[in-house]
Every structure is written in structure tokens, then in C-alpha cells.
Amino acid sequence: MAEPISAHAACAGFSQYAQLRVCDDTIFWLASHPETGSVALWQADHSGICRVNTGPGSIRSRLNGYGGGAYAVLPGRVVWVTEDQRVWQLNRVTGRRTLLVPEVDATWGGLVADPQHDRVLAVRERHEQQALMALEATGHVRVLHQGLDFYGAPAVSQDGSRVAWCSWQLPDMPWLQSTLWQATVTADGDVAGASGQSPPVSGSVQQPQFVGEHLWVISDHEGWWQPWRVTRRDGRDQWLKSTAPMLDHTNAPWQLGERHSCPLREGGWARVQYRQGIGELWLERAGQCQRVAEGWTDFRDLSPSADGLVCIGRAADRHDAVLKVCADSGSATILAGGQVPDRSIMAPVAPVAFVVDAEAPDTLPVQGFLYPPISASAAAPPVILIAHGGPTSAAYAVYNPQVQFWCQRGFAVAEVNYTGSTGAGRDFRLRLAGRWGEADARDMVRCADYLAAQGLVCADNVFIQGRSSGGFTALMAAVQTDRFKAVGSLFGVTDPLRLRAATHRFESGYLDWLLGNPQSNRARWQARTPALQADQISCPAIFFQGGKDAVVVPEQTRRMVAALQDRGQPVELHWYEDEGHGFQRAENQAHMLESLYRFYGSLVPDNPKIRQKDNEPAHKLS
């Protein structure tokens, strides 16, 4: 008989793929090692799959705190950023590694190959100033453009004569308002004639790419992130809309260098569309559109190949994969990854999409995914509502063994795309402005009420939890209602004002957008500070905090826990001294999962799936 997945297996057996790149006929991608949290570079070609020998340590950009574009591949070499933010290169023929940029007072990201000049373009931040850079094979570093607050990953035309990038200025985030830039590359490799062009209406523009002489972008200035062709006529840039539907064709650019579309070599396009939280892959050729790879639910880093495209594919029932999609047949072939969970472990529960209708004129429908438990019981199960981080992000219907951990133990799990999430258009995303901790928290309660009214979950056994900003949403939902059995904060925000003072430059204006200026909106900030509203939380609470967290300062969590203890509220704090924001070590992730299970399980004693040995007092790390 199949057994439930263990906490350690749920955390240690899941490798995530990202940042796929193609050079000639070789495919490259990054894969995480869940046991250690390290990230390595892999490649696949006609001879098979192997790890690229980039030496010790992870490949990881820390630009803007979230990175992206941590490596680039040229015909003769690979260039990458290490955890200490130095830049290295590897000769693909000899295997010799050399330190390309030794400076340690800068962060790098958005690396893009410029093969016509045998160099890599990148974004550098040093002394809180960003610039668009060129890294020569000799180690020479050249500034191509500077003076803007933030630079997105550049795009280079096929002949190397043009370059384009996106930028944004403080206090904006890149998904609020950004500018498209274009420039000519001179014979000696500099850029000339750089000019910025905003969309016709205020909006967010991202992912520029050249197709022949044409420049394409994805912009949401008409309400959805859709593809546009930007062309110059009579000395002016014109934005020509594609025939793509009114859906988001990408998500929020937290990281640099993502690609949700690519041209096909035989003509036409491959594009991702998000519909009710599901990523769909569509091919457009000769005016005809065809959905392909329908068994997969999200696609990233699309790149053209000989007979179609390759990409990172994600699905609800298997691990991340490198996919090859044939343009003629629409079939998807797994080139790497994509493992189905071990047959000795219970089969994954498939997500069921749900939509909660608008309840008032000032609300919009809210979408989410319900994962029902594996249980023979006819009774409505307890449910864990999960608020995703971001908050300008989204929950996707992709395989997550930690969700399966709960379903295999009698709990349902509901992931909610609350107000402010991506994938539902610009209006839905921007409705969180000034309403963080109110609109999102209300949506979590709306979803709980809906699922209970449908008989899908037990109304008396609703738990809520979240990571980072999702922890803030969960805590604020617990402040606003007494209907939750318990609340879990996984390195969650408890004091937005202190976070505002400590956050990095990339998000320095984000909190003011979410809550308003703290001087002129003091009452709002106080009302949305869980640490000041602890007396309004009437359910047990459990907290997990890293001692080296630079985003949610650890003292925030200690103060919140103390406030709950002072009023006699049941509360647990689990402290991991060597962890930062988002735990890296599998053993700590497993301990967190086991602690949550014991904590929630003790509050549902009649749940037949909860075994006594799993319900022992939790061990607290200090």
C-alpha cells in the first residue's frame, strides 16, 4: 500500500528548474538541489544530460534581492554570477574556469549573450546605482548606459546592431509603470542614440525581443499584459497591437530575464496565456492558433528550436521539466526532469479550480485552487488556506509536494489568488494599492466562506497561513475575524513600518504603494500592523523565523509573539538561527512542516488521519 510522503521527502525531493537558455543545439538550465539549497547549471545535447562544471558554490544573482538572468551562454563560453556576486566564465572547449569580474562591491543580473561582439550584457548595481554593462572576454567592463534607477534585462538584435531594455524609476515597481528604451550599437561596441518610449497609456512594459527588424514587447497599458510590436515611422514609435486575446501573457517581473513568448523558426509565435490561474501554451502560425501541451499548467523561458520550441514546463502531477514542443504535432516531449512521484508514495491530488463571485460593487471575483484530501471520510475536511507571497504574485496549479503532504493527512488545501495577484489583468492587480491587509485578507475569508458553503470543507476547522507577505495577509485575516482555528506565519511581515525602514532599494517605494504614505496615512498603517493588533487575534498562532532574515527583521517576530503571549494566547515560535528569508536547508523546511502538522493536528483531535505519534509537543529551536 502506498504511504504518505514524509516531511523530509516533501522538502528534500523537489528540484526546481529555471532560466532555460539555448545556444546552437545545446539547452541549458538551472536546477536547485533541495538538500542544500544550492543551484547548479545543467545542459542537454545530442550526447545526453550533464552538469556543467562551474565549480563550487551556487549560481545566483542577488540583483534587486530576487535576481534573474544569473548566467549567459556564448558559442565558446559560459558566463555566470556566483553567490558572492563575482562573475566567472568557463571555456566550453577546454573546461577552464577564470574569474572574469573580481569586484565584490556590486551585484549582477540580467545576463544576456551578445554573440556578434563575443560579450555578455548585464545589469550591475553598485553603491545603489544601476547601469547597463558589457562584459568582454578579456575581463574589460564597459558602461553602456546609466542614470536610470532600474534596468531590466536587455535584448540584442540578431545582427548585434540594436539593443533594447526596460527601465523604471522610484517609487514605482516594474509592474506598475515602466519605459521601453532602444539604442544603436556602434562599431566599437558602445551604444548611441538611446531613447526612452513609454506605452501610449501609462502601463508596465517588459520582455523586449527582436525578431528580424521588428521589436516586440509585452505591455499592459490596455489592461492586460499582451504582445505589441513597436516600430518607428516618420520619426515616431508606433505601438501595434497583436491579435492575442485579452489575457495576461506573462506575470509580474520580480526577476530579470524571464520569457513567456518566442518566435518560431518557421514563422509564427509561441506564447503563454494565463486563464483562471492556469498557464496555457499557444502556437500562432499563418493566422491559426492552437493550444499545445495541455497536460502542463505553466511554462517559462520559451526558446525557439529546430522544429518548435523548448521551455521549462510545470504540471500538477510531476516535477519541473525541460520540454520540447513540436510545432507541427503540438506534442510535448520531456528532455529532462518531469519525474512522476514514487509509486510507493500516494498519487498526487489534482487541484480543482474555483471562483468566488464578487460580493459587492467594489470587489471582483477571486480565483483559487482547492486540493481535496485523500480520505475515505464523508465528513467535510479541515482546510488550510494559503496566502501566496508577493503580494504581487500568484498561486499556480503546479506540483508542490508540501501541499501533497497535507492532502495525504486528511487536510484540504486552498491556494488563493487574492486581490493584487497577477494573471487577472492590470485592474485586479492594482486594486491592492492602499488596501494591503484589508482587500487581500477579506478575500481569504470570502474563499473560506465559499468553500464551507459548498460543503467542500469544514467551516469549524479552517486554518490560514502564508510566507513572507502571505504571512502578513494571514495575520491580518486573523485580526479581522474569529473564524480561523489557527494562523501560521512563515517568516511573515508583522510590522510594515519597520520593514519599510529596513527593506532594500528595489522595494523601497512598494510599502507606500501598498499602504499609502505613512505620515499622511498613520492610522491606516497602525490598523494594518499585526504587532499592534495582536489583541484582536483570538486563535492560536505559530511562527517560523530565520535569525539572518534581512527582509523580515527577526525582532519583528519576537515582538509579535511577545504581544500574543502577554494576552495569554496560545503561541509557538520556531527559530532557525542560520536561515534567512525563505529557508534553504531541507532539514529546516521539514521541521517547519512537521511542526505545523503537530500544531494544527492538535486542534483537530477527531481527524482520523492524524496519528498520535505525530501529535507530540513540537520541539522549538532557539
Side-chain angles (χ1 to χ4, degrees):
M1 177 179 287
E3 291 291 325
I5 188 172
S6 69
H8 185 269
C11 299
F14 185 48
S15 178
Q16 292 185 298
Y17 288 6
Q19 298 182 45
L20 180 145
R21 302 289 183 264
V22 177
C23 184
D24 297 327
D25 293 326
T26 305
I27 305 167
F28 298 83
W29 68 94
L30 296 180
S32 63
H33 188 281
E35 285 278 6
T36 62
S38 62
V39 177
L41 180 64
W42 291 75
Q43 72 173 50
D45 57 21
H46 64 277
S47 61
I49 299 171
C50 66
R51 179 173 174 175
V52 180
N53 185 18
T54 56
S58 288
I59 297 176
R60 180 174 285 125
S61 165
R62 299 192 182 278
L63 187 70
N64 299 335
Y66 300 97
Y71 77 100
V73 185
L74 293 158
R77 56 200 174 94
V78 179
V79 179
W80 71 93
V81 183
T82 54
E83 282 194 287
D84 62 4
Q85 298 306 285
R86 291 191 291 182
V87 183
W88 290 73
Q89 66 179 352
L90 171 75
N91 186 303
R92 294 177 59 190
V93 177
T94 67
R96 182 170 178 262
R97 295 191 305 269
T98 56
L99 184 60
L100 187 62
V101 182
E103 64 184 53
V104 293
D105 63 342
T107 53
W108 297 84
L111 274 62
V112 171
D114 181 5
Q116 296 297 329
H117 299 93
D118 189 28
R119 65 183 183 179
V120 168
L121 306 188
V123 180
R124 180 189 71 183
E125 178 161 318
R126 186 171 62 179
H127 310 311
E128 296 196 336
Q129 293 183 332
Q130 290 195 0
L132 183 63
M133 311 293 295
L135 309 180
E136 314 290 346
T138 60
H140 176 66
V141 178
R142 181 191 307 207
V143 176
L144 297 180
H145 196 275
Q146 58 187 338
L148 305 174
D149 286 344
F150 296 96
Y151 288 78
V156 185
S157 63
Q158 284 85 341
D159 62 3
S161 66
R162 298 167 64 195
V163 63
W165 68 90
C166 298
S167 74
W168 60 99
Q169 301 291 103
L170 289 173
D172 292 336
M173 298 299 285
W175 51 81
L176 179 61
Q177 184 167 297
S178 54
T179 301
L180 173 67
W181 285 77
Q182 300 183 60
T184 300
V185 180
T186 63
D188 63 356
D190 278 330
V191 299
S195 62
Q197 174 73 34
S198 297
V201 181
S202 178
S204 163
V205 57
Q206 56 171 307
Q207 299 185 27
Q209 59 179 314
F210 289 96
V211 182
E213 293 298 313
H214 299 298
L215 175 61
W216 288 82
V217 299
I218 299 178
S219 176
D220 72 348
H221 64 273
E222 283 199 354
W224 302 85
W225 269 316
Q226 295 174 279
W228 293 77
R229 181 161 62 90
V230 182
T231 184
R232 182 165 287 272
R233 291 180 181 174
D234 301 325
R236 297 181 60 189
D237 285 329
Q238 295 187 0
W239 294 61
L240 306 177
K241 188 177 181 180
S242 72
T243 58
M246 300 290 281
L247 295 168
D248 275 343
H249 288 68
T250 182
N251 45 39
W254 284 93
Q255 294 187 316
L256 274 63
E258 292 191 330
R259 289 195 307 270
H260 288 81
S261 64
C262 74
L264 301 173
R265 291 182 182 177
E266 300 301 320
W269 283 89
R271 292 189 171 107
V272 181
Q273 302 173 8
Y274 288 97
R275 194 187 309 268
Q276 296 295 358
I278 301 291
E280 301 175 353
L281 181 59
W282 286 80
L283 304 185
E284 178 186 332
R285 296 189 301 165
Q288 300 295 315
C289 294
Q290 175 191 11
R291 185 182 175 188
V292 296
E294 294 190 28
W296 301 82
T297 54
D298 198 15
F299 305 87
R300 305 292 174 98
D301 298 318
L302 278 59
S303 294
S305 66
D307 58 355
L309 71 140
V310 291
C311 64
I312 300 293
R314 293 176 177 144
D317 61 350
R318 62 183 64 233
H319 293 245
D320 290 2
V322 175
L323 293 182
K324 182 176 182 179
V325 180
C326 177
D328 290 332
S329 66
S331 62
T333 303
I334 297 175
L335 300 181
Q339 300 91 341
V340 175
D342 191 326
R343 291 186 179 182
S344 65
I345 299 174
M346 292 180 179
V349 172
V352 179
F354 66 88
V355 176
V356 181
D357 292 336
E359 62 179 3
D362 65 333
T363 64
L364 292 174
V366 175
Q367 180 271 329
F369 297 102
L370 176 67
Y371 295 79
I374 299 175
S375 174
S377 173
V383 62
I384 302 170
L385 293 179
I386 296 182
H388 65 72
T392 310
S393 186
Y396 301 98
V398 298
Y399 178 67
N400 182 345
Q402 295 190 32
V403 169
Q404 301 300 324
F405 173 91
W406 291 109
C407 296
Q408 294 170 4
R409 287 162 173 79
F411 286 85
V413 174
E415 296 187 314
V416 179
N417 284 318
Y418 50 76
T419 295
S421 300
T422 62
R426 181 176 175 88
D427 180 43
F428 187 80
R429 191 170 72 248
L430 268 56
R431 279 179 174 244
L432 197 60
R435 302 176 65 198
W436 189 39
E438 178 261 316
D440 50 331
R442 182 169 63 173
D443 288 345
M444 300 300 291
V445 177
R446 287 171 60 194
C447 287
D449 291 342
Y450 170 83
L451 294 172
Q454 298 296 312
L456 300 172
V457 304
C458 177
D460 296 326
N461 288 311
V462 179
F463 300 83
I464 187 169
Q465 69 181 51
R467 298 168 179 258
S468 190
S469 71
F472 170 87
T473 298
L475 290 167
M476 286 306 304
V479 166
Q480 295 176 19
T481 179
D482 61 359
R483 67 172 341 287
F484 297 114
K485 198 82 170 183
V487 58
S489 171
L490 288 56
F491 36 90
V493 176
T494 61
D495 191 333
L497 192 59
R498 291 182 180 273
L499 175 63
R500 181 181 186 270
T503 194
H504 49 121
R505 192 173 72 96
F506 175 64
E507 295 185 72
S508 58
Y510 192 29
L511 272 295
D512 286 15
W513 183 83
L514 289 167
L515 292 174
N517 182 280
Q519 280 73 43
S520 54
N521 296 275
R522 184 178 179 183
R524 179 190 298 165
W525 278 72
Q526 290 180 331
R528 310 276 176 82
T529 299
L532 298 179
Q533 305 297 325
D535 61 338
Q536 300 299 311
I537 297 178
S538 59
C539 63
I542 185 169
F543 294 81
F544 300 87
Q545 179 65 47
K548 295 183 177 179
D549 194 332
V551 178
V552 175
V553 180
E555 190 55 35
Q556 281 193 36
T557 301
R558 287 196 187 276
R559 197 161 24 247
M560 179 77 194
V561 170
L564 290 169
Q565 289 174 332
D566 287 345
R567 64 184 305 269
Q569 195 67 278
V571 60
E572 282 188 13
L573 170 61
H574 296 265
W575 194 269
Y576 306 81
E577 189 58 43
D578 292 333
E579 291 283 8
H581 192 67
F583 298 167
Q584 298 292 323
R585 296 172 59 187
E587 63 184 84
N588 290 337
Q589 295 179 31
H591 180 268
M592 179 169 63
L593 199 56
E594 290 168 345
S595 300
L596 282 166
Y597 179 44
R598 283 190 294 263
F599 190 77
Y600 294 165
S602 68
L603 300 172
V604 192
D606 57 339
N607 186 340
K609 289 286 182 178
I610 298 175
R611 296 163 292 181
Q612 185 61 40
K613 66 178 182 179
D614 292 320
N615 206 17
E616 297 170 354
H619 169 62
K620 301 181 182 63
L621 301 184
S622 59

